[in-house]
Every structure is written in structure tokens, then in C-alpha cells.
Amino acid sequence: MERVISLLIGYIFGMFQTSYFYGKSKGIDIRKTGSGNAGTTNALRTLGLKAGLITMGCDIGKCILAVIVTWLIFRGPHPDTVPLIKIWTAAGVILGHDFPFYLNFKGGKGIAATAGMIISFGDLRLIGIGIVVFFGLFFLTHYVSIGSLCLSLEFLIGIIAFGQHGSYGMTQPHLTEMYVIVIALTALAFYGHRGNVSRLIHGNERKTYLSKSKKF
């Protein structure tokens, strides 16, 4: 039951579409502008750096807040499965972000929410590696998609590696369950970026720059 509750709480938090509401405040429907994606990159390109930073911060923050809520609820009765509960909650946030029912299930791609999952999971090693992977690849290539997908892969590989070395204090069945969820979320990230992957392969993926002197 705690899994279902965590997933639902996560989904409710995830449905807060930062870029959509920010765009509406400016008289713009982010889903009908640029790439049509209600996420950080499209907000950055169509609404500017401020909008992009606000979107990223809020989308990361909503995952962290959701995880805090379920941690407060379940840390007492289920202290031995706290890492698993965090992942179930984050999965709900990502699903709510990607598929909000009130927007006809058309949301973002869940990468900022994934960053929130990595931060709220609380393993400083995974956080540090994730920062290096995402920003290193982004500033090297200026492809947000490459940094995003590698961030998802980094978390998947890291959580399995550290989990199998006993870092999270859970039984093997609980660890396996956690790995399966993260594998599914990684697959969802790649599915959401399938168009980006195709453009990368064909050499026509759009680059993103933070400097105003560069063209988004």
C-alpha cells in the first residue's frame, strides 16, 4: 500500500507543470511553441533564460518536496525500505510531469524531475557524478539531450553498483525492485527523447546556448 500511496503523492506533485503555468502568465501556451514540450529546454529557448531556470528549479524542487512528504510518512513504519519508497515517489513525479491528465497527458520529458530524484535519493556520490556528467557533456557539446540521457544512465548504473555493494541497507528483493523501477524510468527517458536521438544520429539536433550572444 505504501508503494501506491507514494506513487500517487508523486504523481500529484509531478502534475505541476512549471513551464505551462509560467508561459500562461505571459500569454503563451508552451505546448504550442517551439518544440511543443513542456520542459526546461523549450522554456529556455522560447521564453528566455529566466523562464528556463525557474522551470528547472521548480521541476527539480517538486520531486524533492514529494520525496520529503513520503519520507515523513513512511520513515517510521518502514525504515528498512526508505530508499525504495523514495524511488516510487520519484517515479510518480516523473509520470505526473510527463503525463499530466489535465493537459491530455502531454507534459515534459522528465529530466529535471529525474535530477530531483537523484538529489532527493540522497547519495552524494550519485549527485556529484550526475552534476559532472550532465554539465560536462552539455558545455562540451551544447546538446541538452546528450547530457539528459547520460544523466539517466549514470543514475541507473550508479544505483545498481552502489546497491550491490550494500550502500542502501535493503534486502536483495527490495534492491531488485528498485533497480527495475529505475530501469523503467531510464527507458521512459529514452522513449521521450527518441526524436532527439534520431536527430543526433542524422546530425541535425539543435544545440542550446546560455549566452545571449548565441542563438538558441
Side-chain angles (χ1 to χ4, degrees):
M1 180 59 70
E2 66 273 8
R3 292 165 173 80
V4 175
I5 294 172
S6 297
L7 192 69
L8 287 175
I9 289 174
Y11 187 84
I12 291 168
F13 273 84
M15 284 193 299
F16 183 83
Q17 293 292 319
T18 310
S19 64
Y20 174 76
F21 292 123
Y22 187 95
K24 280 295 186 180
S25 72
K26 305 295 183 182
I28 297 172
D29 187 342
I30 192 72
R31 300 170 304 155
K32 298 178 181 178
T33 308
S35 67
N37 181 260
T40 298
T41 304
N42 197 31
L44 174 66
R45 288 172 175 168
T46 61
L47 299 172
L49 180 59
K50 179 182 177 181
L53 292 175
I54 290 174
T55 299
M56 180 174 66
C58 290
D59 286 350
I60 290 173
K62 67 187 181 186
C63 189
I64 295 173
L65 287 174
V67 169
I68 289 173
V69 169
T70 54
W71 174 75
L72 289 172
I73 294 172
F74 295 115
R75 63 174 176 167
H78 301 284
D80 55 330
T81 58
V82 166
L84 178 60
I85 292 300
K86 289 181 176 180
I87 294 299
W88 272 107
T89 306
V93 175
I94 292 169
L95 290 173
H97 177 81
D98 289 5
F99 309 109
F101 76 87
Y102 67 97
L103 294 178
N104 297 318
F105 301 98
K106 183 181 179 182
K109 297 178 181 177
I111 297 302
T114 297
M117 173 175 65
I118 296 171
I119 294 169
S120 61
F121 189 72
D123 189 327
L124 294 178
R125 297 166 298 183
L126 294 176
I127 295 171
I129 296 171
I131 291 172
V132 172
V133 166
F134 178 81
F135 287 103
L137 287 171
F138 171 69
F139 286 116
L140 181 66
T141 68
H142 294 286
Y143 290 126
V144 176
S145 54
I146 290 179
S148 299
L149 293 175
C150 288
L151 177 69
S152 296
L153 283 174
E154 172 268 330
F155 185 63
L156 171 61
I157 294 168
I159 204 171
I160 294 175
F162 294 137
Q164 290 306 111
H165 280 82
S167 293
Y168 307 128
M170 295 193 298
T171 63
Q172 189 59 51
H174 285 139
L175 285 170
T176 301
E177 181 182 346
M178 183 170 68
Y179 302 156
V180 169
I181 298 168
V182 178
I183 289 170
L185 294 176
T186 303
L188 179 62
F190 272 82
Y191 177 78
H193 285 80
R194 61 194 183 281
N196 303 85
V197 172
S198 177
R199 289 190 293 273
L200 284 167
I201 292 172
H202 292 92
N204 55 9
E205 173 73 327
R206 187 177 180 183
K207 294 188 175 184
T208 299
Y209 298 91
L210 301 180
S211 172
K212 289 184 178 180
S213 64
K214 297 289 186 179
K215 185 177 181 180
F216 290 120

